[in-house]
Amino acid sequence: MYPILTKSLISCPIVKKGEYNYFVHPITDGVPDIHPALLREIAVGMIRLMNLENVKYIVTAEAMGIPIGTVLSLMTDIPLNIIRKRKYGLPGECDVCQVTGYSKGEMYINGINPGDRIVLIDDVISTGGTMNGIITALQLIGAEIVDIGFVIKKGSPDLILPYSYLVSIEVTDSVRIVDQTT
């Protein structure tokens, strides 16, 4: 289904961080480089996968959702809104508490208003911690979350809303493709 993405995942290096096997991949880390053909394949897959009808914004979290969101925006003419790790203090700014399996921090939403129809996208979902914080904050704002899509699903994330993904993986001493969407 996604030959470039699949090949790049299967061949990516695994780095051991304590007991954790971390896969190093262009889409999740920007390392070593992000090839245009890979971004194009991902964007086409996500456009086919997601409901983009009457969506006001493609929304992603800093940092690795930005390349994917940029290509999606260029291909659909839907503006991109980036949830940032820096507080700007703009009117209506909304704080997001981000808790993952390995970190905790704050992020900030600007420019989203009640009733805005949005789609959320990101590079990978593993625990759901970051995205659950974003979903909760967007619901407090009153935005309508039309769809949620990820390039890669790792493990069994616990997300409070339904989502879709292009490829599901398992990481041990290598990356194994578990399944792919059509």
Side-chain angles (χ1 to χ4, degrees):
M1 243 328 75
Y2 308 103
I4 301 169
L5 177 60
T6 300
K7 183 178 178 184
S8 68
L9 282 164
I10 290 170
S11 64
C12 75
I14 305 298
V15 176
K16 195 91 163 156
K17 301 271 187 179
E19 294 299 311
Y20 186 79
N21 290 324
Y22 186 85
F23 69 105
V24 181
H25 188 266
I27 292 302
T28 59
D29 300 289
V31 174
D33 49 29
I34 307 173
H35 287 269
L38 176 60
L39 281 171
R40 210 172 8 260
E41 181 180 83
I42 288 167
V44 168
M46 293 190 82
I47 289 168
R48 289 181 180 151
L49 185 69
M50 300 181 73
N51 174 7
L52 300 173
E53 189 174 336
N54 298 316
V55 167
K56 184 171 183 177
Y57 296 114
I58 296 166
V59 178
T60 192
E62 186 177 10
M64 290 313 299
I66 295 172
I68 301 157
T70 300
V71 175
L72 282 171
S73 178
L74 287 168
M75 292 177 73
T76 62
D77 286 330
I78 300 170
L80 176 63
N81 182 293
I82 301 167
I83 299 171
R84 300 298 307 263
K85 294 177 183 175
R86 171 184 290 158
K87 185 177 185 100
Y88 291 90
L90 297 172
E93 185 169 70
C94 181
D95 294 13
V96 175
C97 182
Q98 161 196 358
V99 180
T100 69
Y102 52 86
S103 70
K104 183 178 178 180
E106 291 290 319
M107 299 179 84
Y108 305 91
I109 300 172
N110 282 288
I112 304 289
N113 297 301
D116 286 350
R117 288 176 52 86
I118 62 143
V119 293
L120 286 168
I121 61 106
D122 210 352
D123 59 327
V124 65
I125 182 167
S126 53
T127 66
T130 298
M131 194 56 68
N132 280 332
I134 290 169
I135 290 168
T136 300
L138 288 165
Q139 288 173 330
L140 287 171
I141 290 170
E144 181 185 345
I145 301 169
V146 175
D147 211 342
I148 303 172
F150 301 93
V151 176
I152 301 163
K153 178 186 118 169
K154 179 179 169 271
S156 302
D158 184 18
L159 204 62
I160 58 179
L161 288 178
Y163 64 93
S164 52
Y165 56 88
L166 299 182
V167 176
S168 176
I169 66 169
E170 181 179 279
V171 179
T172 54
D173 58 341
S174 64
V175 172
R176 183 176 76 82
I177 306 297
V178 176
D179 71 344
Q180 300 180 48
T181 60
T182 55

